[in-house]
Each structure stands twice: as structure tokens, then as C-alpha cells.
Amino acid sequence: MTSDSHSVLLVTKDTKLSALMSAVLIQPMFSLSVCNNFYEARRLCAEQVYNIVIVDFCDGEGADFATDISDSLSTILLICPPQHFDQVSYKVESYGILTMQSEFDQFYLYNIIKIAIAVHYKVQSLSSKTTKLKEKMEEIRVVNRAKMLLMQNLSMTEQEAHRYLEKEAMDKGEKKIDLAQTIIKTYG
């Protein structure tokens, strides 16, 4: 599940922060892209899923941007000034956004990045499981629809329709959902 390089988007207008991140997030472990414009950053996030998006507070514009992209699979880290930290952290935590104060050393930053990577892997895993569950629910819905059509059109009981679907799929060497879709096209 781990990859060789972690894609990171840094959104900041602060050249010092950009230089610090470039010094810490080096190749080959990280692939860092830097953007100093929130409109451009929105476009980049729409085109690519970054493992981590690091956002500078920028007088509140960064917090708005972070919440806007919080539905993505990226782990978002918002850096904000100490005087706004508690208020901003409370506001964005329900969006799953990590926050850190803008006064930090490289060791602290590196540890936060490691946490962000772990969170990203967890989100990926949960997203994969959710997708599999949705696919399974769709399969159950289609198979149930096919069983209902068999019951209505061929006067089968539910058990007979279920057995028919399983046996036909096995005999034809196809998936039950594919057979169910054929039945729906035929009788639906």
C-alpha cells in the first residue's frame, strides 16, 4: 500500500514557508508542487489527487480553500498563526483537516507530515472499502430485481429464482450480476 513518493501540494504566498517546505520535503520521498494562488490551487486539486495538501492560513483565505477541497481524498494540513489556532482548528476539524501553528521547527514539521501520510493511507483504505461495499450493494439490488422479474414472469418462488440465478451463472461460467442484468433486459 505504501508508495515510493508522496505527492504534496503546498499553497502559500509566503516565500520563507515555501523554502522551508522545499528543504524538508525532498525527493525521492516527496514530490512537492508549490502554488501561490488559491484559484490555481483549486484547478490543480481538481486535476490531481495529492497525498497531502499543505495550506497556509493567508488571512483566512487558506481556511476557506481547505474546507472547499476537504471532500477530496487528500489529507489537508492547514498552517495558521498561533493567535488564530484554537478558533481555526475548532472550525475545520469537522472537515477532517489537520491544523498546526505556523511557529514550528523542522523536526515538528516532519512528524506532522508523517502523521498526514498515515492519515492519507487510512483514508485510502476506507475509501476502497466503501467502494467495494457500494459495488456489492448494487449487485444485490440488481440480483433482487432479476429475482423479482423471474417470480413475476415465470411464476417462480423466491427460492426457485435464487437457485435458478446461481445455477445458470455457474453453468454458463458468468457472474451472477451479469446473468441478472441479462434477465432484467429480457423481462424488464
Side-chain angles (χ1 to χ4, degrees):
M1 178 173 230
T2 62
S3 65
D4 293 334
S5 181
H6 303 284
S7 61
V8 179
L9 175 64
L10 171 62
V11 186
T12 184
K13 297 175 183 177
D14 183 351
T15 55
K16 287 197 301 190
L17 180 59
S18 180
L20 174 63
M21 291 294 178
S22 295
V24 173
L25 305 174
I26 56 175
Q27 294 278 352
M29 189 166 180
F30 298 99
S31 173
L32 178 64
S33 300
V34 180
C35 184
N36 63 6
N37 178 307
F38 287 101
Y39 296 111
E40 177 69 11
R42 279 182 178 79
R43 185 187 65 75
L44 291 171
C45 288
E47 291 175 357
Q48 177 182 343
V49 176
Y50 294 91
N51 298 127
I52 304 169
V53 178
I54 302 172
V55 184
D56 193 4
F57 183 69
C58 295
D59 296 323
E61 191 175 5
D64 293 338
F65 169 75
T67 56
D68 287 349
I69 66 163
S70 65
D71 286 340
S72 73
L73 293 178
S74 302
T75 299
I76 303 166
L77 176 59
L78 179 62
I79 300 172
C80 60
Q83 66 269 26
H84 298 296
F85 181 78
D86 288 333
Q87 179 184 1
V88 171
S89 180
Y90 180 76
K91 177 186 169 193
V92 301
E93 69 187 12
S94 63
Y95 292 93
I97 298 169
L98 303 172
T99 53
M100 67 181 278
Q101 291 186 15
S102 56
E103 297 174 1
F104 55 84
D105 60 28
Q106 285 186 355
F107 180 75
Y108 178 74
L109 171 64
Y110 186 76
N111 284 322
I112 292 292
I113 295 297
K114 295 299 283 178
I115 290 168
I117 290 169
V119 168
H120 178 74
Y121 285 138
K122 189 65 166 180
V123 167
Q124 263 186 325
S125 173
L126 291 174
S127 176
S128 175
K129 288 177 184 176
T130 300
T131 300
K132 288 176 186 173
L133 283 173
K134 285 180 181 178
E135 289 169 359
K136 186 65 177 170
M137 287 173 53
E138 177 63 13
E139 180 181 333
I140 290 169
R141 188 189 67 75
V142 169
V143 168
N144 283 341
R145 172 92 170 115
K147 285 197 294 189
M148 185 191 71
L149 289 170
L150 289 172
M151 291 164 53
Q152 290 174 345
N153 292 291
L154 301 179
S155 301
M156 292 182 176
T157 66
E158 196 224 340
Q159 291 158 333
E160 292 170 334
H162 179 79
R163 174 76 178 124
Y164 174 82
L165 279 168
E166 285 189 339
K167 184 173 179 347
E168 281 294 306
M170 191 177 3
D171 290 348
K172 292 181 177 181
E174 61 181 314
K175 293 180 180 178
K176 198 166 25 169
I177 189 167
D178 294 336
L179 178 62
Q181 289 169 336
T182 303
I183 290 169
I184 291 169
K185 286 178 188 170
T186 303
Y187 296 109

